Amino acid sequence: MRISCPHCGERDHGEFAYYGDATKRRPDGASDVETFFEYVYPRDNPAGSHRELWYHVGGCRAWIVVNRDTRTHEIFSVEVARKRGEPSQGAGAGAP
Amino acid sequence: MRYSVFSVLSQALKGNTGWKPVWREPEPKAEYDVVIVGGGGHGLSTAYYLAKNHGITNVAVVERGYIGSGNIGRNTTIIRSNYGEHGNIPFYEWSLKLWEGLEQDINYNAMVSQRGVLNLYHSDAQRDAAARRGNTMRMHGVDAELLDVAGVRKLVPNLNFDNARFPVYGGLFQPRGGTVRHDAVAWGYARAADSRGVDILQHCEVTGIRVENGHALGVETAKGFIKAKKIGLACAGRSSQVAAMAGLRLPIESHVLQAFVSEGVKPLIDTVITFGAGHFYISQSDKGGLVFGGNIDGYNSYAQRGNLPVIEEVMEEAVAMFPSIGRLRVLRHWGGLMDMSMDGSPIIDKTPIDNLYLNCGWCIGGFKATPASGWCFAHLIAQDAPHEVASAMRLDRFATGRLINESGTGAQPNLH
């Protein structure tokens, strides 16, 4: 599997670290327990199109959002996470 | 037919022409007391123990493919109970005890081989952690021996002891661990369940779960609607999709795990050995092939095939431990679906829907759990209460904070 980094071009996925479901957004710190439970634990875990966060740790160190088919590993799109206003953990190398 | 020395000899004299299929291929009945969704190891053992322990024989096991087509027929065949968390140890020890008596119980040769499991350590800190784990196991009545480097040399003389980066300091040894012929586990449980009246329905995909007013009523299948008083889900990597048919969302991600078999060689490794400086485990099958694997690939996948970075990593670990196998060729390799839970431990519990029960979250370690998983799931379904040794494996532990966090990596399934 190769991922086209928006900054570095097509690279082997071994250069990237996986963080998981990109549709999850960290709730406000004052949120109740149920909201945090929903953020941390349940997953849709789809067989098909999956929006997910990867970190280009062996390259430009950008957080990216990859839309990938979990049945075939075909990649539909790759975007820089910050540009799309993705979750705050996508904003820095120290995340999550 | 009951297998014995005499049945084997008489068949040999008849040119093996008298063997019959070992389970029936019935058409589905309109209604069952219990329908188990998933004909893998856990589903089959659940059906067997429902019949044997609880006298519930009006049971169907519904399987999308054929028996033995999933992970029960594709794994590294290791059994052990060297766990460190209270919620896990009694369960896995019960599973090992069931393995020890399995062949007599189901009258089937599963080639249970207690050749021992050795976890290497490579530093003083790892030795302390191994000693702690070994002591925890022994306090739970599980066998464990802490070996120094001389002890490991005696057991496995051909290891690379003086690796410059990761020298072998010793190992934690569980003599009762070992390997089992995985296909025989599926066939043996299927035959044993069938002989007690369980219907095994192959090529019968479940397409829906009928739920009304919070009660599960039955399953829609490729062969029509099957009514059920109780439904048990044992769907491993497909758990999220099947549970979604009843409107449930699970704390599960499906990942791919690869494993490998080398060409056959003469006896080289007579125990199960794990590398302490990475994630790698190896044993030798009775046919002579080395059977080994490592980490999951680390991303959500239903593809049943992995990628090259993990293959490279696994081969590096293999050669770091055993330089002598560097020129062996890999005969075959495969990728399977893992139901990775959010704390790395399984779920055997009721669901918020009446009469619907859940068995999932086995991560990369479901094979060794096959007997106890079925035993405890059957108990849950029959008694409507958790079995003592599986009482911590609750679905609501993620909300209540009572996690069984064996690896200590948190809600990040690709790190378990």
Side-chain angles (χ1 to χ4, degrees):
Chain A
M1 190 161 74
R2 294 170 74 80
I3 298 173
S4 290
C5 172
H7 303 305
C8 311
E10 190 178 272
R11 298 297 181 95
D12 186 274
H13 87 78
E15 287 187 11
F16 299 81
Y18 184 71
Y19 188 66
D21 191 337
T23 63
K24 294 285 179 179
R25 284 170 185 267
R26 189 179 181 84
D28 180 81
S31 304
D32 57 15
V33 171
E34 287 72 27
T35 309
F36 267 98
F37 165 75
E38 179 60 32
Y39 167 64
V40 176
Y41 293 113
R43 293 288 181 271
D44 289 335
N45 193 22
S49 169
H50 188 233
R51 283 170 53 76
E52 55 200 25
L53 283 162
W54 293 76
Y55 176 53
H56 197 181
V57 63
C60 62
R61 297 195 286 167
W63 283 90
I64 57 177
V65 177
V66 176
N67 186 359
R68 186 176 58 94
D69 191 328
T70 58
R71 297 166 301 184
T72 62
H73 300 164
E74 182 189 356
I75 292 173
F76 303 121
S77 66
V78 182
E79 297 148 294
V80 178
R82 188 181 294 180
K83 202 179 273 182
R84 292 179 53 89
E86 287 296 337
S88 56
Q89 72 262 26
Chain B
M1 180 195 287
R2 196 173 162 75
Y3 296 141
S4 66
V5 172
F6 303 106
S7 72
V8 171
L9 285 177
S10 75
Q11 284 298 326
L13 293 174
K14 285 186 269 183
N16 286 309
T17 52
W19 297 116
K20 299 277 191 301
V22 298
W23 61 81
R24 298 164 294 129
E25 294 197 26
E27 285 303 307
K29 289 189 247 175
E31 181 176 0
Y32 290 93
D33 290 340
V34 179
V35 167
I36 304 295
V37 183
H42 292 215
L44 293 168
S45 66
T46 302
Y48 171 65
Y49 292 120
L50 275 170
K52 184 190 174 221
N53 295 351
H54 305 281
I56 302 173
T57 56
N58 186 25
V59 175
V61 176
V62 184
E63 164 58 38
R64 179 171 78 159
Y66 59 91
I67 297 304
S69 60
N71 292 341
I72 187 65
R74 296 275 189 283
N75 60 67
T76 47
T77 78
I78 298 165
I79 60 169
R80 57 182 175 86
S81 62
N82 52 359
Y83 281 73
E85 288 288 316
H86 180 70
N88 278 335
I89 303 172
F91 174 86
Y92 286 101
E93 176 57 15
W94 178 234
S95 204
L96 194 52
K97 287 203 169 81
L98 289 172
W99 283 120
E100 287 172 331
L102 181 73
E103 294 165 310
Q104 289 70 32
D105 187 31
I106 62 175
N107 180 232
Y108 204 89
N109 181 9
M111 295 165 69
V112 176
S113 167
Q114 292 183 288
R115 58 184 68 183
V117 172
L118 175 67
N119 303 134
L120 298 177
Y121 57 81
H122 309 268
S123 67
D124 291 341
Q126 280 195 322
R127 183 199 55 221
D128 293 348
R132 178 176 178 274
R133 176 174 293 251
N135 286 332
T136 308
M137 289 162 63
R138 291 174 75 128
M139 286 172 74
H140 281 80
V142 182
D143 61 319
E145 293 172 23
L146 191 69
L147 303 180
D148 59 10
V149 68
V152 175
R153 266 187 203 278
K154 205 173 156 192
L155 199 64
V156 194
N158 49 353
L159 273 173
N160 184 13
F161 286 91
D162 303 317
N163 182 310
R165 180 71 180 86
F166 301 115
V168 175
Y169 275 35
L172 182 65
F173 188 51
Q174 184 182 22
R176 287 165 60 243
T179 59
V180 181
R181 171 86 200 279
H182 48 9
D183 302 298
V185 175
W187 300 331
Y189 269 123
R191 170 175 169 271
D194 176 89
S195 70
R196 287 176 182 265
V198 172
D199 283 358
I200 295 169
L201 309 174
Q202 303 181 83
H203 304 292
C204 186
E205 181 173 359
V206 167
T207 53
I209 298 173
R210 195 176 291 177
V211 178
E212 281 175 19
N213 302 322
H215 299 270
L217 302 177
V219 291
E220 310 281 355
T221 77
K223 296 180 179 176
F225 178 70
I226 301 174
K227 202 173 166 194
K229 293 197 178 80
K230 292 180 175 181
I231 302 169
L233 306 182
C235 308
R238 289 282 173 180
S239 292
S240 294
Q241 269 94 53
V242 179
M245 294 172 187
L248 300 175
R249 286 172 75 236
L250 302 181
I252 299 279
E253 283 183 5
S254 296
H255 285 245
V256 56
L257 176 70
Q258 304 186 71
F260 309 83
V261 178
S262 79
E263 58 188 326
V265 289
K266 287 184 177 180
L268 178 70
I269 297 172
D270 65 356
T271 183
V272 180
I273 308 168
T274 72
F275 189 42
H279 191 175
F280 178 81
Y281 34 94
I282 188 165
S283 64
Q284 187 168 18
S285 82
D286 292 355
K287 286 191 289 185
L290 302 182
V291 183
F292 54 100
N295 261 328
I296 54 175
D297 271 37
Y299 44 82
N300 289 50
S301 175
Y302 289 88
Q304 290 187 281
R305 63 179 168 75
N307 274 289
L308 290 169
V310 162
I311 296 176
E312 185 178 17
E313 184 185 314
V314 166
M315 300 306 159
E316 285 170 355
E317 289 173 310
V319 175
M321 275 173 68
F322 290 102
S324 56
I325 66 173
R327 297 185 66 183
L328 275 187
R329 284 163 293 191
V330 170
L331 192 65
R332 61 180 187 273
H333 105 285
W334 65 91
L337 268 60
M338 305 292 120
D339 38 333
M340 303 301 295
S341 69
M342 285 295 178
D343 63 355
S345 295
I347 297 160
I348 303 177
D349 203 359
K350 302 180 202 181
T351 69
I353 296 165
D354 288 341
N355 312 323
L356 184 66
Y357 302 83
L358 184 63
N359 179 330
C360 66
W362 294 97
C363 299
I364 63 170
F367 178 70
K368 72 179 85 68
T370 303
S373 170
W375 185 284
C376 296
F377 199 35
H379 184 282
L380 174 74
I381 292 169
Q383 311 282 331
D384 218 34
H387 188 277
E388 188 186 359
V389 299
S391 57
M393 296 170 177
R394 298 173 61 115
L395 176 58
D396 70 359
R397 70 176 184 267
F398 302 94
T400 61
R402 292 178 174 82
L403 302 175
I404 314 171
N405 202 347
E406 184 82 31
S407 61
T409 47
Q412 195 62 25
N414 61 342
L415 301 182
H416 295 333

